[in-house]
Amino acid sequence: MANVVLDSLLRPLEEFYRPSFVEEIAINHAGEVWMRLHGARVPWVAYQAPNLSKQYLIDLIHTIANIYERPFNPTHGIPVVYATLPGNHRFSAIAGPNVQYDENDVTGGVAMNIRGGNAAETSFENYHLKRGEDLLKVKPRDNVRPDDPYDRLMGAINDGSPILISGATATGKTTFLNHMLKLIDQNSRVITVEDAREIRVPQANRVHFVLSRTEQNNEFNYARLLDLVVRMTPDVIIGGEISTDNAAVLWEMLGTGHDHFYTTIHAESADAAYAAFADRILHTQPAYSRSELIAEMKKKIRVVQLSRDGALRAVTEVV
């Protein structure tokens, strides 16, 4: 009986995720579906789906949670649900105050991904693994950093290097980050992680996760957030300002292999930014070696340092 109910409830979505040419679908808000197509030049394509109302999507999450005996309580419990749907499709969803798309999500929004089940026939050759041939280098990053700081920054943006924007209060870190986002491919899927909505993302395919430091009532935490973000297939991850609460998880996110990871921190120099990031991680993960952590950060992360003198704001370091 449960399967009959689920099959009936999934029917409005099946036309989007069942076709063999679909790798996955993403819903960032009611009434719209983004389809990721196998081998497409433009990976994400949007379709209007007015029948996928917010109430329908939330009812679907509740039903899947009940059938698969998963906890789901967006207001006071766990707001995320994971399951494997019939046909081996992997389902990830969140609803409630921790997810927003725009200012219309006053009481919280809804987001979900459905992927898998349509894997194309493949072989090692499809992964460019052949006897006697060197492995292919995908998106290799140039370790040579140009002398010109503008070129260093643009090179980091273009090759997807992680970027840490550092500066004291009122130096314009968030404003600078918002401008950087305008330089990212408009077809990118962007996921932000903030404690309050400040980042303005021009890309339409986006999800904003919010973990308030002062108004958190449910059981959604940074560990659960990490699991969810990597399942949502981001092309760009924007972390909110680094704090002792989120530093360790943001560092883990940076290590998940995703390009275009951007975040901000309070510090007065690039060296101080690396040190501050490491110290915040050590508050919750004391087993790390501070010196080794900072050394690894310097290899992986570019820092853009912002400074202020009265009304003057300027980039003073790009490393």
Side-chain angles (χ1 to χ4, degrees):
M1 182 64 183
N3 286 340
V4 173
V5 172
L6 182 57
D7 287 343
S8 175
L9 198 55
L10 284 170
R11 201 160 292 133
L13 269 176
E14 285 185 334
E15 63 178 289
F16 296 104
Y17 71 81
R18 286 279 188 183
S20 59
F21 55 83
V22 177
E23 183 175 345
E24 69 179 299
I25 67 169
I27 296 174
N28 306 326
H29 62 89
E32 184 179 75
V33 177
W34 289 84
M35 299 170 65
R36 186 181 180 97
L37 310 180
H38 285 292
R41 184 180 63 85
V42 178
W44 292 99
V45 181
Y47 291 90
Q48 297 305 305
N51 58 327
L52 302 182
S53 66
K54 182 177 178 180
Q55 191 59 55
Y56 162 77
L57 295 171
I58 293 175
D59 288 346
L60 175 62
I61 300 171
H62 272 290
T63 301
I64 290 173
N66 289 335
I67 289 174
Y68 290 89
E69 299 182 346
R70 304 284 197 268
F72 177 62
N73 185 328
T75 306
H76 301 294
I78 298 174
V80 296
V81 173
Y82 304 122
T84 301
L85 303 179
N88 200 34
H89 297 276
R90 287 172 290 174
F91 176 87
S92 306
I94 180 172
N98 298 111
V99 58
Q100 300 177 12
Y101 182 79
D102 54 29
E103 61 276 2
N104 294 322
D105 290 331
V106 177
T107 59
V110 60
M112 67 176 60
N113 271 51
I114 302 176
R115 65 179 309 186
N118 293 323
E121 289 294 324
T122 190
S123 68
F124 288 144
E125 290 191 0
N126 292 116
Y127 291 87
H128 301 276
L129 177 63
K130 299 178 182 178
R131 179 178 285 111
E133 295 189 9
D134 291 337
L135 296 176
L136 193 66
K137 292 184 178 179
V138 178
K139 296 182 180 178
R141 293 194 174 112
D142 190 354
N143 289 325
V144 177
R145 302 191 177 188
D147 292 333
D148 186 286
Y150 179 88
D151 289 340
R152 284 202 295 276
L153 175 59
M154 294 305 298
I157 293 172
N158 291 333
D159 72 13
S161 294
I163 296 176
L164 177 59
I165 301 171
S166 170
T169 302
T171 51
K173 297 186 293 297
T174 301
T175 302
F176 190 87
L177 175 55
N178 285 333
H179 177 70
M180 277 176 47
L181 285 174
K182 297 176 183 177
L183 306 179
I184 302 298
D185 186 346
Q186 292 300 300
N187 295 309
S188 297
R189 176 165 170 77
V190 180
I191 290 181
T192 74
V193 177
E194 303 175 82
D195 62 7
R197 277 292 306 276
E198 293 184 308
I199 298 168
R200 298 288 174 255
V201 177
Q203 289 79 4
N205 189 0
R206 67 180 188 270
V207 178
H208 297 272
F209 293 127
V210 177
L211 261 175
S212 173
R213 300 181 197 179
T214 59
E215 301 174 4
Q216 187 71 16
N217 297 316
N218 61 16
E219 298 177 27
F220 195 54
N221 55 32
Y222 281 105
R224 289 194 170 103
L225 179 63
L226 174 61
D227 288 339
L228 183 61
V229 167
V230 298
R231 291 169 186 255
M232 288 283 174
T233 320
D235 298 313
V236 180
I237 299 175
I238 312 296
E241 187 169 317
I242 293 174
S243 67
T244 55
D245 293 329
N246 65 18
V249 169
L250 292 177
W251 178 243
E252 284 190 62
M253 282 186 189
L254 195 148
T256 58
H258 292 92
D259 288 340
H260 300 290
F261 181 95
Y262 307 135
T263 188
T264 66
I265 196 166
H266 274 275
E268 295 184 351
S269 69
D271 281 341
Y274 290 124
F277 194 177
D279 289 339
R280 284 162 175 74
I281 293 171
L282 290 167
H283 270 88
T284 56
Q285 302 290 336
Y288 279 110
S289 160
R290 186 175 188 270
S291 59
E292 291 177 3
L293 193 55
I294 292 174
E296 188 174 357
M297 286 179 176
K298 289 184 175 181
K299 290 179 183 177
K300 289 183 176 180
I301 305 173
R302 305 290 184 96
V303 172
V304 177
Q305 182 66 37
L306 306 182
S307 299
R308 178 185 178 188
D309 184 1
L312 174 66
R313 292 178 175 86
V315 175
T316 52
E317 293 181 86
V318 179
V319 301

